Structure formats: structure tokens, C-alpha cells
């Protein structure tokens, strides 16, 4: 006889003996003596069930008690189907992942191949663009000038802000070079230029309706930097020069100009941030040989804004030039460029607008210094006008304003007595650089 006992978990489970269902646990049953196999199962969840199995030999006339306790689970038919479905989905996802990895690897390989090819083509274009310059002995940093045509301005190769070499004009564009453009294009001189009016009691910039680049208000020779030319007129000059030389010339961007300044004057540039730098103290004497700054000569002729940071005094030198000087007259810099310090401020590419705080700053200064109210009111009026206009920046010290980072904004059609320009020739992707120059 078999006596099947069960705990709470097994209660109600169907009991099978030698393949024959005998009833639900617990139960007592008569079983023929011999080999006996007891089995039982009970659902655990949607996919698994508890199972019990035990084999024993039952002797004749023996009563055997069996404790039916579930300790093992197996999958149901539905569980096996769900497991198979999950495994298939896992395999599908794994196959998709491997395909995606293979595709990504292929794509990255193609990207690297294209990048390598683009870099190779870039180098080839650079080499081709620089071939004429190199034939004349010019290399990045060696300071040796080259020309793209016999009458083109001499250029010097330096390292650009993006690492690619660029050619920068060795000098500011001269009055003679600009005259060649005017003569060739039969362009009549445009009248009207801002000039510096030095009075007994005050000095200021005023519009001279008759001033032109030919008559800017002071004597010049053909080797002096051209002044009293507007941004629009400079663009016309660049288009003419580009067509003449067969290569693209542009104005430097702000970052291009500052990088050239830093490379050309490394000893000075290492002493501080360009925008915070002033030619004061020991620096003042150091820069005198480098450019036509506002020294005692210019000071005696009504210049302003000398050694910077509000210092109302000239530089401790006298170069004999009260206004512009011949380009290249002063010491050459480390990269072979001249006059990035002094002579004239230089127009830059791109557009600009007045700083948002310019009007507030002028008002604050007027409140702080009542004696400067008139000048502050003029500044406020100018900034209000310029906030509504697209303007262009000019950078660098000059014979009149000699802060390291003198910053001036010009309208398209505005001409100024102390602003000229220098050309730049990007060897790589000139169209892209022209559009992206700051």
C-alpha cells in the first residue's frame, strides 16, 4: 500500500503511479508489489510547473509513506514555445546587431578612407597652390617673400589659425599699388574722408568732404600705405588683384590678423593677452624700432592715445614721421612681416556690430567724468548709429592711435585717414575661408 502525503505547495497535485493517474495529493492507494514509479506535477506560472518523481520497490504487504515535496521545475509546453520564441528573437537581435556593427565598421572605414583621401587631395592642392611661392624660395616661417605676378604685392607665408599655411602681405598696400588699380580700372577718386582735426582746445575726427586717397590731409609718397579708402573700395581692389594674379586675395579675418601679430612679435606677444596688452613702461621702448607709433614727432602734430591704458603721453622715441611712413621702413618681425605695429590700422574681412554694452559704457563714463560729457554724448550717438548698421573692423595700432589692439568699426562706405589694409592669400579652400572669416 502507498500513502502519499504532501505539504501545502503540493496539495491538490495530480499523482501518477506507473503511468496511471491515481488522484490528487494527499491520498492512500493499493498498489501491486514490485517496482513503482511515482510522479506528480503542478503549474507554477504561465511557463513552468513543479514536478516530482520517485522510484522504489514495494514489497508484498508493505505500507509505504511518501512525502511529496516539489523542489524542481520544468518548462511547460507553452513555456517551451515562449522560450523558443525568445531565443529566436535574441538570435534575430544579435544578427541585427552584428549587421549594424559590420555596417558601422564599413562606414567608419569608408569615412577614414575618404578623410585620408581628402587630406591627400588637400596636401596636393596646398602643394600645387604653393608651388609658385616655393619656386621663389618661400616657405612657412622663413620670411622670404614671393609674388604671384610681377606687379603683385610681396607675400610672406605664415602658419594660419587652422594650421594650414597662408600668405600674408609683407607690407600694407601702398598708395602706388592702389594707384595702379585706379589707373587700370579708370576709377575716379571718391571724395570724403574722416580726418583728425587737432585744435588748440580739443581734437577730434571730422569729415573732410574734399579729402581723398590722393589728398588725405598730409603728404605721402607712393611707398606710403594708402588711406582714405572704404571697405567697398578695398573689395573692388581685391577683385581686381585676384583677376590680375589668377589667385584669390582676401582681407585677413580678425583671428588671422591676431595670429599673424603674435607670430611676428613673439617676444611682445608672450608678455600678455593681445586684447589686454599695452605698450607701456619697458614695452614702450621695445616697440619703438618696430613701427610708426605715436611718438614725440606725432605728438607734436596732434596725435592722441599714446602708450595705452589711458596713458596720455607719446612713446619715448622720435622717428621723424608725424603721419604715415613708407612701408617696410621699420624693423621686420619674426615671420618677415612689417608694420603690424603702427603706421595704419588695417581693415579686416567679415562684418561686425557695435558691442551691446557700448552705449551703457559711454553713459557710465559720462556720469563718472562730467567734464567728458560732450565726448560721451558724441560716443553714444555714434554707437547708436552703428548698432543699426553692419560695420567692419579695423585692427592694430597706427600713427594716431597706438594701443596694441586698437579696434575701430567702419561702415562700407566710410573712409578714414589712419586706416589702410593688408591682403591675405589662403592657399587652401579660399572660398570657404572667405565665407567663414570672423
Amino acid at each position: 500500500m502507498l500513502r502519499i502525503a504532501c505539504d501545502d505547495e503540493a496539495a491538490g497535485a495530480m499523482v501518477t503511479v506507473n503511468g496511471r493517474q491515481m488522484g490528487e495529493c494527499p491520498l492512500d492507494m493499493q498498489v501491486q508489489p514490485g517496482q513503482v514509479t511515482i510522479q506528480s506535477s503542478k503549474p507554477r506560472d504561465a511557463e513552468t510547473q513543479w514536478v516530482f518523481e520517485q522510484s522504489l520497490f514495494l514489497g508484498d504487504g508493505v505500507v509505504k509513506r511518501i512525502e511529496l515535496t516539489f523542489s524542481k521545475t520544468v518548462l511547460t509546453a507553452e513555456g517551451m514555445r515562449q522560450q523558443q520564441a525568445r531565443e529566436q528573437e535574441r538570435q534575430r537581435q544579435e544578427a541585427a546587431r552584428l549587421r549594424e556593427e559590420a555596417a558601422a565598421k564599413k562606414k567608419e572605414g569608408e569615412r577614414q578612407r575618404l578623410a585620408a583621401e581628402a587630406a591627400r587631395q588637400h596636401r596636393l592642392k596646398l602643394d600645387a597652390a604653393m608651388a609658385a611661392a616655393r619656386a621663389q624660395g618661400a616657405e612657412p616661417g622663413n620670411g622670404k617673400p614671393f609674388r604671384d605676378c610681377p606687379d603683385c604685392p610681396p607675400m610672406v607665408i605664415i602658419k594660419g589659425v587652422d594650421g594650414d599655411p597662408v600668405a600674408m602681405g609683407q607690407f600694407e598696400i601702398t598708395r602706388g599699388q592702389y594707384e595702379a588699380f585706379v589707373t587700370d580700372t579708370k576709377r575716379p577718386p571718391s571724395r570724403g574722408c574722416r580726418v583728425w582735426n587737432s585744435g588748440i582746445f580739443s581734437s577730434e575726427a571730422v569729415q573732410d568732404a574734399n579729402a581723398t586717397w590722393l589728398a588725405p590731409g598730409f603728404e605721402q609718397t607712393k611707398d606710403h600705405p594708402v588711406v582714405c579708402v572704404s571697405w567697398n573700395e578695398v573689395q573692388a581692389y581685391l577683385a581686381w588683384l585676384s583677376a590680375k594674379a589668377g589667385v584669390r586675395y582676401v582681407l585677413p579675418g580678425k583671428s588671422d590678423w591676431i595670429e599673424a601679430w603674435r607670430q611676428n612679435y613673439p617676444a611682445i606677444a608672450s608678455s600678455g593677452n593681445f586684447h589686454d596688452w599695452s605698450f607701456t613702461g619697458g614695452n614702450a621702448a621695445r616697440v619703438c624700432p618696430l613701427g610708426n607709433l605715436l611718438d614725440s614727432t606725432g605728438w607734436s602734430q596732434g596725435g592722441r592715445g599714446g602708450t595705452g591704458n589711458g596713458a596720455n603721453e607719446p612713446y619715448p622715441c622720435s622717428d621723424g614721421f608725424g603721419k604715415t611712413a613708407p612701408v617696410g621702413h621699420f624693423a621686420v618681425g619674426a615671420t618677415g612681416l612689417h608694420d603690424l605695429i603702427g603706421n595704419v590700422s588695417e581693415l579686416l574681412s567679415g562684418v561686425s556690430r557695435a558691442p551691446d554694452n557700448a552705449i551703457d559704457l559711454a553713459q557710465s563714463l559720462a556720469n563718472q567724468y562730467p567734464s567728458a560729457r560732450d565726448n560721451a554724448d558724441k560716443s553714444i550717438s555714434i554707437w547708436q548709429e552703428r548698432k543699426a548698421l553692419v560695420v567692419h573692423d579695423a585692427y592694430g595700432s597706427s600713427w594716431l592711435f597706438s594701443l596694441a589692439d586698437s579696434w575701430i568699426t567702419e561702415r562700407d562706405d566710410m573712409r578714414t585717414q589712419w586706416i589702410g589694409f593688408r591682403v591675405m592669400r589662403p592657399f587652401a579652400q579660399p572660398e570657404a575661408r572667405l565665407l567663414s572669416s570672423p
Side-chain angles (χ1 to χ4, degrees), residues 25-48:
C25 186
L27 77 162
D28 293 339
M29 66 191 80
Q30 293 292 333
V31 178
Q32 292 292 328
Q35 191 69 28
V36 177
T37 299
I38 305 163
Q39 295 173 314
S40 183
S41 64
K42 185 177 180 179
R44 181 189 180 195
D45 53 37
E47 297 185 14
T48 61

Side-chain angles (χ1 to χ4, degrees), residues 138-156:
E139 290 287 348
N142 74 354
K144 186 173 180 59
F146 73 95
R147 295 178 187 266
D148 290 308
C149 67
D151 298 328
C152 289
M155 309 293 289
V156 172

Side-chain angles (χ1 to χ4, degrees), residues 248-259:
R248 188 65 178 271
Y249 290 94
V250 299
L251 287 176
K254 186 182 300 183
S255 56
D256 296 312
W257 196 95
I258 293 175
E259 181 61 24

Side-chain angles (χ1 to χ4, degrees), residues 329-344:
H329 176 84
F330 292 86
V332 65
T335 60
L337 300 175
H338 288 262
D339 301 321
L340 283 171
I341 289 177
N343 225 5
V344 292

Side-chain angles (χ1 to χ4, degrees), residues 359-432:
I359 295 174
D360 293 338
L361 179 60
Q363 185 64 58
S364 173
L365 290 172
N367 294 336
Q368 187 175 357
Y369 303 103
S371 61
R373 166 62 68 178
D374 289 345
N375 286 336
D377 287 343
K378 289 179 182 178
S379 295
I380 291 171
S381 175
I382 290 170
W383 285 123
Q384 285 174 334
E385 176 190 5
R386 291 180 182 179
K387 282 184 74 69
L389 294 172
V390 173
V391 293
H392 307 281
D393 291 334
Y395 248 43
S397 51
S398 69
W399 58 267
L400 180 63
F401 296 95
S402 290
L403 281 174
D405 70 336
S406 291
W407 172 64
I408 308 163
T409 56
E410 296 286 277
R411 296 195 311 263
D412 288 350
D413 59 350
M414 186 175 286
R415 303 175 193 89
T416 304
Q417 195 185 44
W418 54 90
I419 294 179
F421 68 101
R422 182 187 305 263
V423 300
M424 185 180 83
R425 180 192 159 193
F427 291 111
Q429 300 177 338
E431 294 290 346

